DNA sequence: ATCAGATTTGGGAGCGCTCCCACACCACTG
DNA sequence: CAGTGGTGTGGGAGCGCTCCCAAATCTGAT
């Protein structure tokens, strides 16, 4: 025979039923108050709120999730293949933005690192299991099918960055091309005549955009197209080092380099030092990301800053809107970038 | 009149009941299989597993959480007051360790940043609401009451680092004193005769331990106690810069400095450069943390490495054990540190 | 063959909430 | 004064699972 103890939580915590009893109303009414329904009279609402405060009631999330079929959680997915993402402030900036935006909701942030392909599958399954209401994807590669998979499940998804110019999945990106163009215009404006670039991996859309920004600035300045001023990197310091050596071999007289990432700029700087070139006198250097590396390079690195925290906030806001209203249009936003001038240029 | 459709999930996903029907067993049996109970015959288990695979069944977490009164989630709490924690790889290393350890459980990691005191209260309430099974606390200050509060609620808690020598809450720490001692012994072993130290904030236990390591090494080497070789910092680059200037004013002839954090070493290096001292020829420098800053300093910084990822793994393993068995002893572990030698010493 | 004891199994009850139907109550209208 | 159309409100049903009791089945010793 079940002991009747309506409304007493199993570990002593008050339940909604207890609140209802205390306020002298029904369960439904308390639920309405908690969920901010307008269909409650002011008198009743006040009584319920008082009861909630008295009892120190906190809704039981699992019960809510089960009954309402939503989890009150969103996932932030980081493909950690990009260890880079971690070392740099990019990732933490995104987290900061996301959690700032989540701060006055009761939505939880689940952090999910995906390393192995196995984990990728696993997460897709996990997401299929009603465990998150939406997904934020960070730094997705050009050929990653995960965004489409998730979107196909009907799960709201927002990415940072695009995979291509025609990105089907909603995204919040920054103006990679514009930033790169600013950087190169800055170098040219400082009187540099032979400006090279070290690119990111060309299978990444962001890297291609930065290259286009470089090319556009050169074109506007009336510089003839010159493939010898272009060296491929992959965003890593090592690749920057190698690319810089190659560039100097080809064009010993170059006097400016736009690097598509800060670590590559660090590598380039090392190569320059080894070959006896000074920065910025012989060669001016500009990076991209405005990471802490930039500030600590010697000389401090001029770099293109992305509004990382803002991107985090924006994508979160957009995701929440989509969760609220499945019909809502997903974001397709490109936020501005700016040049932070330091001693290296 | 309710439509009878036993075992069909509301959004088409199979339920436990459906699996049971398919396998020709009862709900309880399926539940036992899922939860790895030994009280199931091999034949039955195989049948259930086949049904699970056929149907692509994934347990509904909210339902589990509600019924079993556990959330299958743990929180990693970061008092972001320490922005430092973010910029450095410490934090990401911990995350990496934690999530590696969580990888083959179905436990989710909730990341919680606490900035304002308001959020601190909020989290305590949140944690009280059965939403997490345990809490990992990162980089807690000496006077933070949160660990005790959580522990008092009966919630399993593990911290990185201690708040004092007599830490009541379970922790996983690293050998700060030993690491510092190694660093200073190294400097002395390289023939440096006048070795100073720049300390961290003395309200942090880790900082005090590092100072003790310095003092112990000096004592063992038979150096007379000399307070003029000791300058206070607060782990930031600026404080390192100021402290270094002060030290040089007091002891122009010093030839070695142990800095209790890498950013302080960067600051010290800047001060040394400004005063025309070379590193390592005039003054040898050692840092603590072995962050990426260390590798990128010029010259690359010798630094004490903590097994960060290992700490993350260890604390997670310990937390899971405590969640499993509330009576289990919490960890009180101090992991070894090691010296990474580079060009600065 | 028989039965105590161990092993395996089925399924009722219930976790704490939301959803939604039904009903009470309140103006107003004609 | 009956009728109409709001508002507010109560509470049954049910979300998908786990827990646990009791029943069924299977040992192996007598």
């Amino acid at each position: 025979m079940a002991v009747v103890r309506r409304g007493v939580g199993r570990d002593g915590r008050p339940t909604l039923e207890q609140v209802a009893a205390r306020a002298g109303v029904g369960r439904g009414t308390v639920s309405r108050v908690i969920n901010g329904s307008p269909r409650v009279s002011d008198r009743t609402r006040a009584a319920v709120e008082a009861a909630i405060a008295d009892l120190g009631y906190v809704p039981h999330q699992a019960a809510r999730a089960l009954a309402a079929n939503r989890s009150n959680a969103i996932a932030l997915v980081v493909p950690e293949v990009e260890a880079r993402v971690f070392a740099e402030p990019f990732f933490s900036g995104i987290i900061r933005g996301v959690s700032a935006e989540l701060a006055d909701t009761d939505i939880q942030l689940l952090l999910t690192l995906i390393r192995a392909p196995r984990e990728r599958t696993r997460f897709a399954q996990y997401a299929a299991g009603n465990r998150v209401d939406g997904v934020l994807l960070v730094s997705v590669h050009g050929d990653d099918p995960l965004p489409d998979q998730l979107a196909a499940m009907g799960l709201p998804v927002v990415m940072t960055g695009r995979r291509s110019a025609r990105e089907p999945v909603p995204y919040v990106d920054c103006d990679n091309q514009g930033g790169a163009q600013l950087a190169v215009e800055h170098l040219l404006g400082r009187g540099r005549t032979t400006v090279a670039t070290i690119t990111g991996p060309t299978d990444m859309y962001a890297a291609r955009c930065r290259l286009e920004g470089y090319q556009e600035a050169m074109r506007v300045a009336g510089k003839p197209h010159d493939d010898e001023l272009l060296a491929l990197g992959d965003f890593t310091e090592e690749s920057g080092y190698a690319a810089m050596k190659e560039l100097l071999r080809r064009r010993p007289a170059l006097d400016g380099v736009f690097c598509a990432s800060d670590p590559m700029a660090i590598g380039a700087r090392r190569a320059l030092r080894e070959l006896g070139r000074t920065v910025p006198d012989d060669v001016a250097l500009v990076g991209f990301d405005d990471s802490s590396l930039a500030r600590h390079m010697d000389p401090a690195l001029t770099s293109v800053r992305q509004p990382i925290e803002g991107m985090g906030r924006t994508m979160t806001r957009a995701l929440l809107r989509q969760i609220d209203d499945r019909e809502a249009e997903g974001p397709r936003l490109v936020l501005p970038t700016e040049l932070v001038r330091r001693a290296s240029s």
Side-chain angles (χ1 to χ4, degrees), chain A:
Chain A
M1 194 186 75
V3 179
V4 177
R5 23 151 234 172
R6 295 173 70 79
V8 175
R10 83 186 109 181
D11 41 35
R13 285 202 309 130
T15 67
L16 184 147
E17 182 121 22
Q18 227 174 339
V19 173
R22 174 117 183 183
V25 300
R27 275 186 355 263
T29 302
V30 177
S31 177
R32 257 160 268 163
V33 170
I34 291 169
N35 294 290
S37 157
R39 309 228 144 292
V40 181
S41 70
D42 291 348
R43 267 181 58 81
T44 310
R45 181 184 307 279
V48 170
E49 279 167 352
I52 288 176
D54 284 0
L55 263 33
Y57 170 72
V58 184
H60 191 297
Q61 282 308 312
R64 284 182 108 167
L66 178 59
N69 204 24
R70 55 184 168 64
S71 63
N72 282 321
I74 64 174
L76 176 62
V77 177
V78 184
E80 209 211 349
V81 193
E82 309 239 30
R84 175 181 82 83
V85 146
F86 243 120
E88 288 178 23
F90 182 83
F91 177 73
S92 54
I94 292 285
I95 290 196
R96 204 179 285 117
V98 170
S99 57
E101 200 62 37
L102 251 29
D104 35 42
T105 70
D106 59 354
I107 293 179
Q108 260 302 321
L109 180 61
L110 300 185
L111 189 71
T112 313
L113 305 185
I114 295 186
R115 290 153 258 240
R118 214 188 103 246
E119 293 187 331
R120 187 174 234 74
T121 320
R122 206 177 122 132
F123 175 76
Q125 194 196 37
Y126 180 87
N130 291 31
R131 293 179 57 151
V132 292
D133 296 334
V135 178
L136 298 173
L137 287 165
V138 169
S139 124
V140 176
H141 263 276
D143 53 348
D144 195 330
L146 188 61
D148 308 287
Q149 281 172 24
L150 296 173
M153 286 174 192
L155 204 60
V157 176
V158 178
M159 297 190 299
T160 26
R162 283 166 282 182
R163 290 167 299 171
S164 72
R166 311 179 63 80
E167 174 58 67
V169 175
Y171 59 85
V172 174
D173 203 351
C174 72
D175 185 6
N176 286 299
Q177 169 165 357
Q181 197 168 338
L182 273 178
V184 178
E185 282 167 4
H186 162 72
L187 286 169
L188 294 168
R190 306 280 292 180
R192 304 295 162 154
T193 56
T194 313
V195 176
T197 187
I198 301 178
T199 73
T202 50
D203 68 325
M204 289 193 70
Y205 183 64
R208 292 205 302 276
C209 287
R210 291 174 197 180
L211 173 56
E212 272 162 35
Y214 162 82
Q215 288 169 332
E216 179 64 12
M218 294 293 273
R219 206 185 51 72
V220 168
K223 299 280 178 189
H225 181 87
D226 181 355
D227 269 348
E228 295 223 314
L229 289 175
L230 192 158
L232 298 180
D234 63 5
F235 284 149
T236 65
E237 181 177 333
E238 265 326 299
S239 73
Y241 175 81
M244 189 72 243
K245 290 231 156 157
E246 173 65 17
L247 286 172
L248 284 170
R249 201 182 53 70
R250 292 190 205 148
R251 287 275 184 283
L254 66 80
D255 55 6
V257 181
F258 164 61
C259 302
S261 85
D262 283 354
M264 292 199 300
I266 303 272
R269 198 260 172 282
R270 188 154 51 87
L272 288 167
R273 195 199 320 272
E274 283 182 15
L275 295 175
R277 304 290 210 288
T278 61
V279 175
D281 292 342
D282 295 339
V283 179
L285 220 49
V286 180
F288 204 111
D289 280 346
D290 189 36
S291 61
S292 66
L293 293 177
R295 278 185 295 285
H296 289 108
M297 206 182 81
D298 176 29
L301 182 68
T302 296
S303 190
V304 179
R305 176 184 293 161
Q306 331 175 35
I308 299 176
E309 192 166 332
M311 289 171 72
R313 297 187 78 113
T314 307
M315 67 194 291
T316 307
R317 206 154 37 221
L319 186 69
L320 295 184
R321 198 160 51 82
Q322 276 193 87
I323 289 171
D324 236 43
D325 169 15
R326 300 285 168 138
E327 306 308 309
E329 195 73 21
R332 270 140 227 289
L333 281 174
V334 179
L335 303 182
T337 45
E338 63 174 312
L339 188 71
V340 180
R341 291 177 45 182
R342 298 204 181 80
S344 72
S345 66

